[in-house]
Amino acid sequence: MLHNTFTRRVRRIAAVVLTAVCCALITFGQDDAARFDKTVSPTRFRMGEKLAYELSFGRFTNAGHAEIAVVSRGRLSGVDVIELRSRIKTFEVVSAALVLIDETRNVYVAPDTGLPLYVRKVSNDRAVPKEAISNYLKAPTTSFDLLTLIYKMREAAGVGTFTITENEQIYNVTLAPAGAERIRTDVG
């Protein structure tokens, strides 16, 4: 019993750390001109935009992979929405020893506020996939989920305090610039 509680806490902490690293990479890895270009789309979401990241964790350089995409714009229950999709998966030692994350997320957001209206998460880290749905169409939320937070952080240029709801828990996230750093990638 004590081991299970400890394991759950370690997994929860590792998941939050991996998410924070992913969010930081996505926020600060963007081109400044693209971040501030408001002529591309009338919303903060650029249709067809796809971002993919290789994740590292400590000394593990191939810890996982994350993809996010702006898929479409349409109507859901008569409400104008933009569909976002994400996929995050940990690999090898990180998934075996620290935390197994294998999640697909579809989020329908309000184009004007960027807040989620309908969230569908499928966790494939068990023998049977677990689906969780949060429907905010009738009772709108005032907090972001992880995927919509990424876009809000980018819109705010990586500065601000935001409220997110994840797994029925409410968190406050504060971002502040810590300095500039040149990042080298395989492509330059």
Side-chain angles (χ1 to χ4, degrees):
M1 181 70 174
L2 181 61
H3 177 69
N4 287 340
T5 303
F6 177 75
T7 302
R8 274 189 259 134
R9 284 186 182 158
V10 168
R11 285 183 177 182
R12 188 176 297 149
I13 290 169
V16 168
V17 168
L18 270 172
T19 301
V21 168
C22 180
C23 289
L25 285 172
I26 291 168
T27 300
F28 298 109
Q30 299 299 311
D31 176 36
D32 282 344
R35 185 182 305 150
F36 297 110
D37 185 10
K38 301 296 184 195
T39 62
V40 175
S41 175
T43 69
R44 65 189 51 118
F45 306 101
R46 297 181 185 108
M47 290 304 137
E49 178 181 47
K50 294 179 184 179
L51 302 172
Y53 294 93
E54 298 300 321
L55 305 177
S56 62
F57 184 75
R59 66 176 188 251
F60 305 109
T61 57
N62 189 22
H65 183 76
E67 296 176 354
I68 62 174
V70 180
V71 181
S72 66
R73 184 172 189 162
R75 299 188 77 68
L76 181 66
S77 296
V79 177
D80 189 27
V81 296
I82 292 178
E83 180 184 5
L84 307 177
R85 285 188 193 153
S86 72
R87 171 108 167 107
I88 185 167
K89 181 172 177 57
T90 55
F91 302 139
E92 301 171 5
V93 176
V94 173
S95 64
L98 296 174
V99 61
L100 173 61
I101 299 174
D102 187 355
E103 180 183 277
T104 303
R105 190 180 292 231
N106 285 44
V107 181
Y108 297 90
V109 302
D112 55 344
T113 64
L115 291 170
L117 296 171
Y118 188 87
V119 180
R120 179 180 175 264
K121 295 189 303 186
V122 177
S123 181
N124 297 309
D125 58 358
R126 297 176 177 89
V128 177
K130 180 183 174 189
E131 181 180 61
I133 294 177
S134 300
N135 187 345
Y136 304 111
L137 287 165
K138 291 191 169 118
T141 183
T142 58
S143 62
F144 298 93
D145 75 314
L146 285 175
L147 186 54
T148 55
L149 177 65
I150 291 169
Y151 287 95
K152 184 62 177 178
M153 289 184 326
R154 188 167 78 171
E155 179 188 19
V159 178
T161 300
F162 310 100
T163 304
I164 66 168
T165 302
E166 274 302 310
N167 300 325
E168 299 178 15
Q169 296 283 328
I170 297 174
Y171 302 95
N172 286 319
V173 177
T174 301
L175 304 169
E181 180 179 336
R182 180 170 291 265
I183 299 174
R184 299 193 57 94
T185 65
D186 294 339
V187 292

